[in-house]
Amino acid sequence: MIHILHNGKQLLKVTHLGTEIKVRIVNNIVEQFIEIAKRFPDENLIWIKEDFAQQIDLDDLTANFKASHYMLSMGNIKNHFLYPAIGYVTDGPFVAVSQENIYPSWLMQDTAGIVAASTINQFNIGDYKNQSLEYFLSSVARIGQPQGLFCYHIPALSNSQDKYDHHSSSLFRFVGAHYKKIWVFLLLFLLYRYEKTFTFTSFVQGLFSTSLSTRLILKEQQKSTKSIALDYDVVIPTMGRKEYLKDVLLDLSKQQTLAQKVIIVEQNQDETSNSELDFLKVENWPFEIDHHFIHKTGACNARNLAISKTTASWILLFDDDNRFESDLLESMFHAIQLTGTKVLNVAYLQKGEKELQKTFKQWEFFGSGCSIAHRDVIEKCKFDMALEHGYGEDVDYGMQIRNSGYDVIYAPQIQILHLKAPVGGFRKPHSFPWKEDDVQPKPSPQIMYFRKNNYTHQQLLGYKMIQLIKSFGELGTKNPYRHYKKYQAAWSQSEKWTDQL
């Protein structure tokens, strides 16, 4: 382990096993950092800023650094040079960082952190001349995360002032280097529109910054020696898919590792109806079947009810129209041991689809039809009934997982066929109270509800602008001014109904 003390401009002290290492004096702190990584390619690098040397508990870092494909940093996210403006151009969960628990994010801070030298050594110093250490570390994480680098932010208090500067050239340069150039234009416009700042010089620097792309080779993950319980229950909501559900149960019965219990919540809103699933009792199954027949429809209610009946260490969240091989659960538990995760999503492909991703990675989403989660996680989360009959309950559940201090890991090499059955399901057309309004809400109140609850304010404003552009011509006019007015009215309508969810 290499310990690096810095002041933001220079490396002040570098030690290895208690012995101080001489550092070449140059004007570029990133060059010094990379040079240390090259001298000790098999070590991990811990950095800490001089101002926080007495405040930071490095045990938090080392305890959470589980393998060389991890990268962690500590600090107050409000002090990050990109925060919160990066939300204008970045959608998804990795910017809405929790200050309560460890949280998956590529926003790395120079306050303190840890990374493998083998990761740093794949980046070129020439791409980061005159950039700060925080810029470089965030760039490494931003490029590496989609390729399987597990990046996490650990909250820590600090007394420094917020670094956000409306005129920051680093902000625009970062966007120009890591996003398509159109986002530089949008950032300029959104800062002017919502913060009344016009940063033309920084805009030009971002527009002409060199796009960065590095193909990473991460060390192969090693199977954990820590044993995990292999007992699991299965949760399946269903409605009108008798034959499809039977096929799912048959596939489950062929698993090398069998479920303890399969909880099925069958829905039919007709109060006079009876269950269609006669085969549940007629046939013999190698696991317990816990069948609930209810007259209330809705995915959120059905999943919450089913989860409340589980008792196993792991809960497999499933759909009633899946098909899969007999080694699905063996593969899932093997992936859990490799990654150390408590929430695993697998590839959920329709017929003819192919998955190009090859490596494990932190997942932006969450799929309630193709995932397995530990009871520790399940007990802290619940499908939000405000999203019932709409869409967004999956991604909302994923955000609950992240905000509780866990992560969602995607295993693309493990695949389930999603038949997308044309009949039945657990979603039924629902008449919402805004259906008869003269002005229809846009986006749907459920999507607005999810975004307001889970993303930053800047992300919401960025999303609003993108949807304004994408929806042009869909609101009955191609006059830009009229389109804008109609969109504003639809957005306001969505906000109104969101408050009532």
Side-chain angles (χ1 to χ4, degrees):
M1 194 78 72
I2 307 296
H3 288 77
I4 299 172
L5 183 71
H6 72 96
N7 62 6
K9 297 180 180 180
Q10 290 280 320
L11 302 191
L12 301 177
K13 186 178 181 181
V14 178
T15 57
H16 179 225
L17 300 177
T19 301
E20 186 169 349
I21 300 164
K22 189 173 182 180
V23 180
R24 189 166 60 94
I25 303 300
V26 295
N27 292 325
N28 189 335
I29 188 173
V30 177
E31 183 176 345
Q32 291 180 311
F33 195 84
I34 292 177
E35 182 177 306
I36 294 298
K38 290 187 181 301
R39 287 171 62 183
F40 299 92
D42 297 322
E43 296 286 348
N44 299 318
L45 311 179
I46 289 184
W47 68 88
I48 187 166
K49 201 167 186 178
E50 183 182 30
D51 296 347
F52 309 103
Q54 303 305 316
Q55 302 177 32
I56 297 296
D57 181 6
L58 294 182
D59 289 342
D60 248 357
L61 282 174
T62 53
N64 285 288
F65 190 78
K66 300 175 182 178
S68 62
H69 62 280
Y70 275 62
M71 184 175 185
L72 312 174
S73 79
M74 299 181 76
N76 184 338
I77 197 63
K78 293 182 179 179
N79 295 334
H80 196 285
F81 81 97
L82 292 174
Y83 191 87
I86 194 66
Y88 286 128
V89 299
T90 299
D91 204 23
F94 301 132
V95 169
V97 177
S98 168
Q99 271 299 113
E100 302 297 324
N101 297 300
I102 184 171
Y103 189 90
S105 176
W106 52 265
L107 291 171
M108 294 287 115
Q109 297 191 255
D110 64 3
T111 309
I114 183 170
V115 66
S118 58
T119 298
I120 297 300
N121 286 336
Q122 298 179 66
F123 289 82
N124 182 8
I125 179 57
D127 294 329
Y128 299 97
K129 288 182 178 179
N130 303 317
Q131 297 298 348
S132 69
L133 182 60
E134 193 161 85
Y135 182 107
F136 171 67
L137 295 169
S138 294
S139 177
V140 169
R142 178 69 177 83
I143 292 170
Q145 190 185 51
Q147 301 182 59
L149 186 64
F150 289 10
C151 306
Y152 296 95
H153 173 269
I154 300 176
L157 296 177
S158 66
N159 298 321
S160 62
Q161 297 298 312
D162 292 359
K163 294 182 182 178
Y164 178 44
D165 178 3
H166 296 290
H167 300 273
S168 171
S169 62
S170 294
L171 168 64
F172 278 88
R173 283 178 175 172
F174 192 93
V175 172
H178 299 85
Y179 298 77
K180 293 180 179 179
K181 298 301 182 185
I182 185 63
W183 292 106
V184 181
F185 287 93
L186 284 170
L187 178 61
L188 179 73
F189 176 79
L190 290 168
L191 283 174
Y192 178 73
R193 171 72 177 81
Y194 294 112
E195 303 187 21
K196 307 305 178 189
T197 63
F198 189 75
T199 56
F200 184 74
T201 302
S202 297
F203 160 73
V204 172
Q205 291 174 335
L207 192 62
F208 289 98
S209 60
T210 303
S211 295
L212 299 179
S213 178
T214 301
R215 184 66 181 170
L216 292 188
I217 299 175
L218 300 173
K219 289 185 178 179
E220 187 174 346
Q221 289 158 326
Q222 300 296 314
K223 186 174 180 179
S224 172
T225 56
K226 185 178 180 181
S227 62
I228 60 171
L230 301 182
D231 60 303
Y232 68 98
D233 290 339
V234 186
V235 164
I236 308 176
T238 187
M239 185 167 64
R241 287 181 176 170
K242 177 179 178 180
E243 297 304 321
Y244 288 94
L245 176 63
K246 187 174 182 179
D247 285 339
V248 171
L249 293 178
L250 287 171
D251 283 352
L252 284 171
S253 69
K254 297 172 185 175
Q255 291 301 301
Q256 298 166 15
T257 303
L258 290 170
Q260 287 189 174
K261 180 167 53 177
V262 178
I263 302 99
I264 298 169
V265 178
E266 181 187 4
Q267 304 155 76
N268 190 325
Q269 67 179 11
D270 183 355
E271 295 285 348
T272 65
S273 64
N274 295 310
S275 171
E276 299 177 340
L277 308 181
D278 54 301
F279 61 84
L280 294 181
K281 293 183 178 179
V282 173
E283 300 189 25
N284 292 320
W285 301 99
F287 34 67
E288 178 186 347
I289 297 283
D290 186 0
H291 175 221
H292 300 265
F293 180 58
I294 61 175
H295 298 296
K296 180 179 181 180
T297 63
C300 296
N301 176 68
R303 293 197 188 282
N304 287 336
L305 172 60
I307 289 170
S308 72
K309 305 298 180 180
T310 63
T311 55
S313 302
W314 294 88
I315 292 87
L316 180 65
L317 298 172
F318 237 41
D319 280 342
D320 58 1
D321 59 346
N322 294 344
R323 298 307 305 271
F324 44 97
E325 299 297 329
S326 61
D327 63 348
L328 175 67
L329 268 300
E330 286 287 317
S331 298
M332 280 185 154
F333 282 123
H334 179 68
I336 288 168
Q337 282 203 299
L338 285 176
T339 61
T341 187
K342 287 197 171 183
V343 184
L344 187 78
N345 260 209
V346 303
Y348 205 32
L349 306 178
Q350 296 181 48
K351 191 173 182 179
E353 287 185 329
K354 292 185 178 180
E355 175 56 82
L356 300 179
Q357 176 77 20
K358 301 299 181 184
T359 59
F360 294 112
K361 75 169 186 175
Q362 292 173 298
W363 195 225
E364 302 95 321
F365 311 104
F366 176 81
S368 57
C370 57
S371 59
I372 189 168
H374 193 273
R375 175 160 300 281
D376 291 347
V377 182
I378 291 289
E379 289 180 348
K380 294 182 179 179
C381 304
K382 196 170 186 178
F383 287 94
D384 194 333
M385 291 299 293
L387 300 172
E388 190 69 289
H389 298 296
Y391 288 87
E393 80 279 358
D394 285 20
V395 284
D396 178 81
Y397 198 83
M399 288 302 293
Q400 292 181 47
I401 289 171
R402 297 180 189 94
N403 286 321
S404 297
Y406 300 99
D407 198 3
V408 180
I409 301 302
Y410 179 52
Q413 64 274 47
I414 306 173
Q415 302 180 354
I416 293 174
L417 175 63
H418 188 199
L419 296 178
K420 278 281 187 180
V423 296
F426 54 82
R427 295 190 194 275
K428 187 175 178 64
H430 184 78
S431 182
F432 292 104
W434 53 82
K435 183 179 179 181
E436 303 302 325
D437 288 354
D438 292 335
V439 177
Q440 287 296 296
K442 191 174 184 68
S444 72
Q446 289 94 346
I447 296 300
M448 180 74 80
Y449 174 92
F450 162 75
R451 288 184 168 273
K452 282 196 167 187
N453 282 352
N454 293 296
Y455 288 171
T456 69
H457 182 61
Q458 286 73 18
Q459 284 183 296
L460 183 65
L461 295 177
Y463 171 79
K464 181 179 181 180
M465 180 57 61
I466 294 302
Q467 295 306 307
L468 171 67
I469 296 169
K470 284 185 174 181
S471 64
F472 184 74
E474 297 177 2
L475 301 180
T477 180
K478 289 192 175 181
N479 179 297
Y481 177 74
R482 290 178 181 174
H483 171 72
Y484 174 74
K485 298 295 288 184
K486 285 192 170 188
Y487 183 80
Q488 283 287 86
W491 184 273
S492 297
Q493 190 78 335
S494 182
E495 289 187 311
K496 183 191 81 171
W497 283 109
T498 295
D499 292 339
Q500 298 182 43
L501 283 179

